[in-house]
Amino acid sequence: MTAIANVTVLGTGVLGSQIAYQTAFSGFDVVAYDISDAALETAKQRFAGLAETYVREGVAGAVDGAQAALARITYSADLGEAVANADLVIEAIPEQLALKQSTYEQLATLAPERTIFATNSSTLLPSDLAPFTGRADRFLALHFANRVWAHNTAEVMGTEATDPAVYATVADFAGKIGMVPIEIKKEKAGYLLNSLLVPFLSAAGELLVDGIAEPDAIDKTWRIGTGAPMGPFQIYDIVGLTTAYNISKAGGPKQQAFADLIKERYIDQGKLGVATGEGFYTYPKA
């Protein structure tokens, strides 16, 4: 099995940028891909912000390594160029099945035969994507939690077609970038983390849709009643309301109603969560 040295991350949103930066911080060469130069300019700002966060939060090695990590990241809006030398491609594009499937169809012809593909999908099964990869034996899921430097789980989930050696290589890679590999024995939509988290967030969305309470009251109740540091709508803002919309739109009637609500009240107003400075709550500008 080829050792992983060069990593390409597709998508530079909140989580994609964290994955790319953590990988570079851990000493790997990283190509950050997104669909436009404008998106990549935004990504550069995210990476610079992450470098500051690592130092501010006292991540081990950050004083000397945070800025050095930035030098290991290159940028491309050309998919073929981005994956031309990739040993591993981590896909972190929007949570839309058709978009992911079409992306893998392109990757199948553009990436070297040796390249391993890993999806960071939060809710989709890797078997829904594997037939589109052209290399089902070299494809699996590698799912990260938000704030990867602190909440450092990496859920590894293959399909029946995944080569065990590929699975082991990706689990080993996760450890090398400072994650705790969580090996999942069989496919499960939502993996472990989101199988627990998504129903919790959905319940909060239903309370809002049904007019039971406003986000602040729901969050306050959860924080006080459980001792948790954040309530569900604070979590929604961190995850990003576009991701919340995409996941909710694929759910049942109540989830779809919640998706429509956040689109009308927030997304259409440019309020996407922490990343834009406003979502359910308002955040100080960087």
Side-chain angles (χ1 to χ4, degrees):
M1 181 61 58
T2 303
I4 293 174
N6 301 305
V7 180
T8 298
V9 178
L10 307 185
T12 60
V14 172
L15 197 50
S17 61
Q18 291 179 21
I19 296 166
Y21 183 80
Q22 177 66 23
T23 302
F25 182 75
S26 302
F28 290 85
D29 291 326
V30 176
V31 178
Y33 165 83
D34 219 312
I35 58 174
S36 69
D37 290 336
L40 292 175
E41 285 302 314
T42 300
K44 291 176 183 178
Q45 297 173 26
R46 284 202 177 102
F47 291 135
L50 285 168
E52 294 174 0
T53 297
Y54 275 45
V55 173
R56 184 174 64 250
E57 297 192 7
V59 176
V63 172
D64 296 322
Q67 290 298 318
L70 297 176
R72 286 191 284 273
I73 302 172
T74 57
Y75 303 85
S76 180
D78 181 300
L79 186 60
E81 176 186 75
V83 302
N85 194 37
D87 300 310
L88 172 66
V89 171
I90 302 174
E91 170 266 305
I93 66 175
E95 197 75 345
Q96 299 170 14
L97 179 59
L99 176 61
K100 289 181 185 287
Q101 289 173 337
S102 65
T103 299
Y104 280 110
E105 286 181 324
Q106 295 177 65
L107 287 174
T109 63
L110 294 172
E113 291 184 7
R114 72 176 192 280
T115 307
I116 296 170
F117 296 160
T119 180
N120 180 58
S121 172
S122 299
T123 56
L124 301 172
L125 292 174
S127 59
D128 291 334
L129 302 171
F132 297 83
T133 67
R135 59 189 77 189
D137 60 324
R138 302 182 71 78
F139 171 74
L140 75 176
L142 179 64
H143 180 251
F144 296 78
N146 192 52
R147 288 176 52 84
V148 300
W149 63 94
H151 305 153
N152 60 326
T153 58
E155 297 172 283
V156 187
M157 185 167 72
T159 71
E160 291 184 355
T162 304
D163 183 338
V166 168
Y167 187 103
T169 296
V170 171
D172 179 69
F173 164 79
K176 288 179 177 176
I177 63 168
M179 301 296 104
V180 178
I182 306 296
E183 298 188 15
I184 299 176
K185 296 181 177 181
K186 61 168 66 173
E187 282 191 284
K188 170 71 172 71
Y191 311 79
L192 303 184
L193 178 61
N194 282 313
S195 291
L196 298 167
L197 180 61
V198 170
F200 164 65
L201 295 178
S202 294
E206 288 186 25
L207 290 172
L208 178 60
V209 165
D210 288 343
I212 306 301
E214 291 300 307
D216 180 63
I218 296 168
D219 283 355
K220 186 184 301 181
T221 300
W222 184 256
R223 291 196 308 269
I224 295 172
T226 68
M230 292 185 292
F233 291 97
Q234 291 172 288
I235 295 173
Y236 271 129
D237 273 354
I238 291 172
V239 171
L241 299 193
T242 301
T243 297
Y245 172 82
N246 288 332
I247 293 173
S248 299
K249 199 64 178 175
K254 285 288 180 68
Q255 286 73 39
Q256 292 179 25
F258 177 63
D260 293 339
L261 181 152
I262 59 176
K263 183 176 187 300
E264 179 181 345
R265 295 188 190 177
Y266 300 97
I267 294 174
D268 287 350
Q269 314 305 319
K271 302 174 181 179
L272 307 183
V274 172
T276 59
E278 189 170 3
F280 290 105
Y281 301 95
T282 301
Y283 303 89
K285 297 291 186 181

